[in-house]
């Protein structure tokens, strides 16, 4: 998108940030290491969003684009392991405000799933995170660059592994 002034661009980006910063924080919480810290990784994602903001063409939903930029930033830092020493961590607590009264058994199950998921390949961990976020297969394909069929197959394998582990 092209903006007539820097003020207009800043206002549009501020609105994007206000509407979608939850996505960024959840992704950063998942990938942040103690050395890099949540704030540093969140800031790095915000910088990448700002740099590529004008290149967003509207070919997908804005939230899909935010997920993609956030995920690619996290994975790129994870692969480089520099300068942020990003490491995979357990899945964040998703939608805590909407589920304040989760039973203790459910909380234990979520912790076990998070711990088990660390055995997955990074792309499969990302797919599990997106699945828990409620992202559609179509959006997952757009975010990850995989085909929708590949996303479905991977999710099916992930579900089977989880089912076998927690049956």
């Amino acid at each position: 998108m092209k903006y007539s002034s820097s003020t207009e661009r800043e206002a549009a980006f501020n609105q994007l940030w206000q509407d979608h910063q939850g996505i960024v924080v959840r992704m950063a919480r998942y990938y942040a290491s103690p050395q890099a810290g949540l704030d540093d990784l969140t800031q790095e994602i915000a910088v990448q969003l700002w740099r590529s903001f004008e290149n967003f063409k509207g070919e997908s939903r804005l939230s899909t684009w935010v997920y993609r930029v956030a995920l690619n930033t996290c994975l790129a830092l994870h692969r480089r392991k520099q300068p942020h020493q990003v490491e995979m961590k357990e899945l964040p607590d998703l939608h805590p405000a909407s589920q304040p009264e989760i039973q203790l058994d459910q909380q234990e199950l979520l912790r076990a799933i998070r711990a088990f998921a660390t055995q997955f390949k990074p792309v499969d961990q990302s797919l599990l995170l997106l699945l828990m976020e409620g992202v559609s297969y179509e959006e997952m394909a757009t975010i990850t660059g995989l085909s929708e069929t590949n996303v479905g197959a991977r999710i099916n394998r992930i579900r089977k592994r989880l089912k076998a582990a927690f049956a």
Side-chain angles (χ1 to χ4, degrees), residues 29 31-38 40 84-89:
R29 188 179 299 143
Y31 287 96
S33 69
Q35 297 88 359
L38 178 61
D40 289 344
H84 298 287
Q85 296 296 318
V86 175
E87 296 174 2
M88 304 300 278
K89 288 182 55 177

Side-chain angles (χ1 to χ4, degrees), residues 48-108:
Q48 294 305 321
L49 286 168
W50 174 255
R51 286 180 180 161
S52 57
F53 185 55
E54 282 194 23
N55 297 327
F56 176 67
K57 296 178 179 127
E59 295 171 353
S60 65
R61 292 184 4 199
L62 194 54
S63 61
T64 301
W65 177 78
V66 170
Y67 272 118
R68 184 174 191 138
V69 171
L71 181 61
N72 287 338
T73 302
C74 291
L75 290 176
L77 291 173
H78 174 66
R79 281 189 295 268
R80 281 197 322 235
K81 297 269 191 184
Q82 293 176 354
H84 298 287
Q85 296 296 318
V86 175
E87 296 174 2
M88 304 300 278
K89 288 182 55 177
E90 64 181 38
L91 293 172
D93 291 329
L94 302 175
H95 311 295
S98 64
Q99 300 175 342
E101 299 178 15
I102 294 178
Q103 299 294 328
L104 182 58
D105 293 342
Q106 290 176 323
Q107 289 177 346
E108 290 173 3

Side-chain angles (χ1 to χ4, degrees), residues 1 18 27 36 62 80-81 88 92 98 101 107 109 124 134 143 153 156 166:
M1 300 181 141
Q18 183 177 2
M27 295 296 282
L62 194 54
R80 281 197 322 235
K81 297 269 191 184
M88 304 300 278
S98 64
E101 299 178 15
Q107 289 177 346
L109 179 60
D124 290 340
I143 293 165
N156 189 37
F166 297 101

Side-chain angles (χ1 to χ4, degrees), residues 126-142:
S126 301
L127 290 172
L128 180 58
L129 175 63
L130 294 171
L131 182 67
M132 292 177 73
E133 284 277 314
V135 175
S136 71
Y137 286 16
E138 180 182 5
E139 285 183 282
M140 286 184 209
T142 301

